[in-house]
Amino acid sequence: MKLTPYWLDTAPRFTGASPDGVEGEVDVAIVGGGFTGLSAARAFAKKGASVVLLEADRIGGCQSGRNGGMCNNGFAQDYYAMVSRLGPQVARALYRSFDAAVDTVEAIISTEGIDCDFHRVGKLKLAAKPAHYDKLARSQELLARDADPDTRMLTRQDLANEVGTDRYFGGMIFQKSAAMHMGKFAHGLATAAVRHGARIYEQAPVTALKRLSGHSHRLSTRRGSVVARQVLLATGTSSIGPLAHYRRRIVPVGAFILVTEPLPVNQLDSLLPKRRNATDTRNFVNYFRVTPDNRLLFGGRARFAKSNARSDLKSGHILKRAMEAIFPSLARVQIDYCWGGMVDMTADRLPRAGEHDGLFYSMGYSGHGTQMSTHMGAVMAEVMDGNTAANPWAGFDWPAIPGHFGPPWFLPFVGAYYKLQDFLH
């Protein structure tokens, strides 16, 4: 069993990074080489701007290459609750921005000819309890009327055609969602950015940011420094560099994933006959999908803990038990991969993007990052070019999380709270 992400292990290694030192002056410097940064680098380069992207590790090596491989439309939260909190007009607009985000991913893949196994398989949200089904049905009725007529409900009996388990009480289908190979997408996106003229640096963590005037900053790395007329922070949960303002507003929560050995097609047909992305309604969520080479990927929160080798392995044992409870036929299946990653959660589980003290930023995708990060990279290229109305998250307050000044010491308490909620509701 490999304690490395399946997506990175089965994708080509990006070889287009610059071997030179970091130096000179550019129009735009981007900090972070995940989907946000790569999408922004491509978009800016296509506009004719001079672009430098600075990545602390390897391209796609953090959450963009460590996730569950789902490119889903729709909120993580209950749509009915979002309408109640934000009002129908705002909730509808934000929901449709997630639809647009999946379209953005598909358009980039098509335009750039990226081979990453992108398919619109749809998402199945599974009710873990009877009351959860009622809640899903209430949201779906509102969605179908106001924002997404392509959603539909499935009764518990209907699920027999969708998923090979009797653990759930019905579900809701989102037709626009897609699946793809995250490592191949990151490789293709980085390759496209370089082809359009961006310079990408790996192993170039930003250690200092000095504001010169307006939006102009000097960015220092261990490979040199560069002066940029504009800077985009696409750093997510990064603990590297002078990003204290953003760290106080993001809770890094571990997400953990297993991938099985390749399975016979007839066995996969019994588990997920339509090959949809599937996720349940628990706070300690489980999700699963079929990989392009016929493995089952099974992930979830498992524990409210940070990701590291020991934590990943411990969480992997929890996930394996959960997988076998849902799919008993997998009890003797070999696990080939086990890994973890950090999700950049905001307090309300909605992204944030905008400008603070002369720096532009987009982050806080809260577990729905694949499509929204890619979309927001392109959107921020428009925003920083003067089209501020393009930002769907403009105007959202982003206060610091009380008591959060460094490592998230409160994660065990948050985990205990959500575990209790899963038990009670």
Side-chain angles (χ1 to χ4, degrees):
M1 184 176 71
K2 297 182 179 181
L3 296 177
T4 54
Y6 162 84
W7 306 121
L8 300 181
D9 194 53
T10 57
R13 182 69 160 87
F14 175 63
T15 58
S18 175
D20 303 324
V22 178
E23 60 181 2
E25 297 184 7
V26 294
D27 294 320
V28 180
I30 299 166
V31 184
F35 295 151
T36 304
L38 294 172
S39 177
R42 170 187 176 270
F44 275 117
K46 288 189 70 176
K47 286 175 172 288
S50 55
V51 184
V52 160
L53 184 149
L54 305 169
E55 164 55 39
D57 191 74
R58 61 172 286 189
I59 291 302
C62 293
Q63 193 54 29
S64 292
R66 307 181 74 87
N67 59 45
M70 299 182 183
C71 184
N72 290 332
N73 71 309
F75 292 128
Q77 305 93 317
D78 175 65
Y79 184 74
Y80 187 95
M82 294 297 288
V83 169
S84 300
R85 181 162 69 88
L86 300 174
Q89 185 173 351
V90 173
R92 185 186 309 116
L94 295 182
Y95 184 94
R96 287 176 174 167
S97 74
F98 279 92
D99 284 358
V102 182
D103 293 342
T104 295
V105 173
E106 185 175 39
I108 290 173
I109 289 169
S110 176
T111 300
E112 302 295 349
I114 299 173
D115 179 12
C116 63
D117 304 292
F118 179 93
H119 299 288
R120 295 261 191 172
V121 296
K123 178 181 76 172
L124 177 60
K125 192 159 189 177
L126 296 160
K129 294 183 178 182
H132 295 187
Y133 179 86
D134 296 338
K135 190 175 180 181
L136 284 175
R138 182 179 64 177
S139 276
Q140 191 275 331
E141 182 180 10
L142 188 59
L143 263 175
R145 185 174 70 240
D146 290 356
D148 191 349
D150 293 326
T151 57
R152 61 187 174 92
M153 294 298 298
L154 298 174
T155 66
R156 191 173 192 180
Q157 291 70 35
D158 295 332
L159 285 185
N161 298 318
E162 292 283 349
V163 60
T165 180
D166 60 1
R167 292 293 294 266
Y168 298 108
F169 296 86
M172 177 178 174
I173 288 181
F174 297 76
Q175 296 282 10
K176 299 172 187 174
S177 296
M180 67 179 179
H181 192 298
M182 297 297 162
K184 292 180 180 178
F185 180 60
H187 176 271
L189 196 52
T191 301
V194 170
R195 183 169 59 246
H196 291 297
R199 283 185 291 152
I200 293 177
Y201 292 86
E202 295 182 313
Q203 307 300 323
V206 173
T207 55
L209 273 163
K210 181 180 180 181
R211 190 173 188 176
L212 303 178
S213 63
H215 295 114
S216 179
H217 286 74
R218 179 182 298 277
L219 298 88
S220 299
T221 80
R222 66 188 184 197
R223 295 183 58 184
S225 64
V226 63
V227 172
R229 281 179 277 280
Q230 291 180 308
V231 176
L232 174 64
L233 300 178
T235 50
T237 62
S238 177
S239 60
I240 300 170
L243 303 172
H245 172 84
Y246 303 95
R247 292 191 193 107
R248 291 201 60 202
R249 288 155 172 80
I250 285 176
V251 178
V253 175
F256 306 94
I257 298 172
L258 301 175
V259 172
T260 69
E261 64 183 322
L263 301 175
V265 171
N266 63 344
Q267 186 173 18
L268 291 171
D269 288 343
S270 71
L271 301 178
L272 282 169
K274 297 184 180 177
R275 303 299 192 265
R276 298 196 198 277
N277 300 333
T279 181
D280 69 28
T281 53
R282 292 183 178 89
N283 291 299
F284 273 77
V285 63
N286 286 130
Y287 49 85
F288 39 91
R289 58 154 292 193
V290 175
T291 67
D293 57 350
N294 290 334
R295 305 167 186 266
L296 186 76
L297 178 150
F298 189 94
R301 201 147 285 149
R303 302 160 61 239
F304 269 74
K306 296 192 72 172
S307 173
N308 54 51
R310 183 178 178 183
S311 182
D312 293 355
L313 190 57
K314 187 173 182 179
S315 300
H317 291 309
I318 296 171
L319 285 178
K320 189 172 189 296
R321 290 195 296 271
M323 180 184 75
E324 292 170 359
I326 294 170
F327 299 119
S329 64
L330 299 180
R332 298 183 183 275
V333 164
Q334 178 178 304
I335 304 301
D336 281 356
Y337 294 89
C338 172
W339 75 93
M342 301 306 295
V343 177
D344 52 342
M345 301 284 285
T346 60
D348 61 4
R349 300 173 67 193
L350 292 174
R352 293 297 190 276
E355 179 189 355
H356 174 75
D357 282 351
L359 294 168
F360 293 92
Y361 62 88
S362 183
M363 57 187 81
Y365 304 115
S366 303
H368 270 222
T370 295
Q371 66 286 348
M372 188 52 69
S373 59
T374 305
H375 183 61
M376 287 306 300
V379 165
M380 291 309 293
E382 296 301 315
V383 170
M384 293 164 67
D385 200 25
N387 182 16
T388 56
N391 182 8
W393 310 105
F396 275 71
D397 291 338
W398 199 13
I401 297 169
H404 183 23
F405 298 100
W409 55 270
F410 45 80
L411 281 185
F413 301 99
V414 175
Y417 170 78
Y418 281 122
K419 189 170 288 187
L420 178 64
Q421 293 300 304
D422 280 341
F423 176 75
L424 294 174
H425 303 289

